[in-house]
Amino acid sequence: MSDEHDTAPAGSEGGPRPEPLRFFGTTWLNHDQGYAPRRIAAAVGSLAAVVASCLVLRFAYQGLQIADTGSFVAVLVVAMFAICSALAFRQTLDGFSRRPDPERQASLRGLLAIGFVGSLLAYFVRSLMEAPGERLHREEYEAARRQHEKRTSRRTRNPSKKRPRT
């Protein structure tokens, strides 16, 4: 990323800095510097990845049919990918609106890897509304700015010229 994405917005010198998002940098803050084309590219790219992933899974399923493993194994594989994709979709979508618990995320790593189609689909759906994770980052950034303004606005006078209490 370039340095222009790492700078704080005008008017917030010394204050909190926005956290960059993957593929968007800090353009999500003011929706500038190519934000709209990036969102379109993220949506199209994630949808293309979903389509390519489904094709790969279809080839894998055809491999099971060629291997003549039986209908029970085929049903188990399809059910596993469907359930894991649904769980990964929900987990990924929730991760865009609140910070995930690192321990829970680590325990679900295998499930999310199997359900990669659901994660990609969640990224596509969120890209249609906003940059994935934008709402969470905006809420955190605005809370940090409010807290910073509250801390810095308290000091209205020079504390060294404080009158003694009587």
Side-chain angles (χ1 to χ4, degrees), residues 43-86:
V44 170
S46 58
L47 186 60
V50 166
V51 170
S53 299
C54 288
L55 287 174
V56 168
L57 289 177
R58 177 165 169 77
F59 291 141
Y61 181 77
Q62 286 177 342
L64 285 175
Q65 286 181 329
I66 291 170
D68 197 26
T69 57
S71 62
F72 179 71
V73 172
V75 168
L76 277 178
V77 168
V78 169
M80 175 192 65
F81 275 105
I83 291 169
C84 288
S85 290

Side-chain angles (χ1 to χ4, degrees), residues 21-32:
L21 290 173
R22 180 182 293 154
F23 306 126
F24 294 92
T26 57
T27 61
W28 59 267
L29 188 61
N30 298 319
H31 293 189
D32 58 355

Side-chain angles (χ1 to χ4, degrees), residues 93-129:
L93 211 55
D94 285 346
F96 293 137
S97 58
R98 59 183 149 83
R99 293 277 179 189
D101 178 29
E103 291 179 14
R104 186 167 192 264
Q105 197 73 10
S107 68
L108 292 175
R109 187 172 291 134
L111 179 123
L112 294 174
I114 293 170
F116 63 98
V117 174
S119 293
L120 291 169
L121 200 55
Y123 199 86
F124 167 72
V125 169
R126 184 56 79 167
S127 294
L128 295 176
M129 295 181 277

